[in-house]
Amino acid sequence: MSAGIIVLIVVLVLLFVLTLAKSIVVIRQAQKGLIERFGRYKETLEPGLRFIIPYIDKLAARVDMRETVLDVEPQAVITEDNVGVMVDAVVYYYVTDAKAVRYEVANFNIAVSKLAQTNLRNLVGDMTLDETLASRERINSSLRNTLDEATDKWGVKVTRVEVKAIEPPKDITDAMSKQMKAEREKRATILEAEAYKQKQILMAEGDKQNAILVAEGSRQSTILRAEGEAKAIENVSTAAEKYFVGNAQLLKQLEVTQASLQNNSKLVVSDQSKLINVLGLGEAFIPPRTPEKRKSE
């Protein structure tokens, strides 16, 4: 075999290997491949091992189908009350149509970034500084809806937009810091006054409850003491009525008699009185004569 034939065989083998290599395409997971034939879109390849016609078909692009973060370049924006602020945002999106994102827009990242900057200027320009600082959620939602609607024809879904920073000028920041400090001191003073007020109220309530309890205890003690005395009097009265009614009357008569005799007074005692027996005058007592007895004598 001549050297020319050997060289031809080697060239043919190399050409075959090169052709085979060009016909094999590997599409990775979360990607899609766009095939062009003579510069015109032919088909979209799914992930895996794929074969194309070499030298006729070409893998034009690999499109990442995962969610992607796009950092929007910070920009200066004038608010409605003429305050300049620096606004920085990020956009989260993913591709829904690989063909559209390749052929409907020349450079998707630049297009979305400029679109986000334009809409941020419009949104922040219609708000005051205080509204801008307090309305991030509103800005995020409005910007997301606008971008999602604009990028729909590009085969992209905008999932969310986040405003990372809104930075006012330094003098405005210093003034806001002083205002916030004064507001915090005001709230602290109010809370301290409220705490002192509550403390005084609780102490007064405690004193009131204590006085009520002391008065209630004294009242209950007085009632119980009175009830005890009444019960004792009732018991004494019952015992006197049951056992000492007669003796008590006789004792009272003796006391009156003793007082009369001490004064050398004359005492007239009825013959029916029990004092006759008590004083031992039963035998010595001579009853007075009645008119009938005088006539008989």
Side-chain angles (χ1 to χ4, degrees), residues 16-33:
F16 175 76
V17 173
L18 181 62
T19 301
L20 182 62
K22 283 185 172 292
S23 67
I24 298 175
V25 176
V26 177
I27 306 299
R28 297 183 181 278
Q29 185 66 32
Q31 290 183 342
K32 288 188 177 182

Side-chain angles (χ1 to χ4, degrees), residues 9-25 51-57:
I9 294 174
V10 171
V11 170
L12 290 176
V13 171
L14 290 176
L15 183 60
F16 175 76
V17 173
L18 181 62
T19 301
L20 182 62
K22 283 185 172 292
S23 67
I24 298 175
V25 176
F51 294 93
I52 61 175
I53 301 175
Y55 308 110
I56 296 177
D57 295 340

Side-chain angles (χ1 to χ4, degrees), residues 237-252:
S237 176
T238 301
E241 290 179 357
K242 186 174 181 180
Y243 302 105
F244 305 109
V245 171
N247 294 334
Q249 292 176 352
L250 180 59
L251 179 59
K252 187 64 177 177

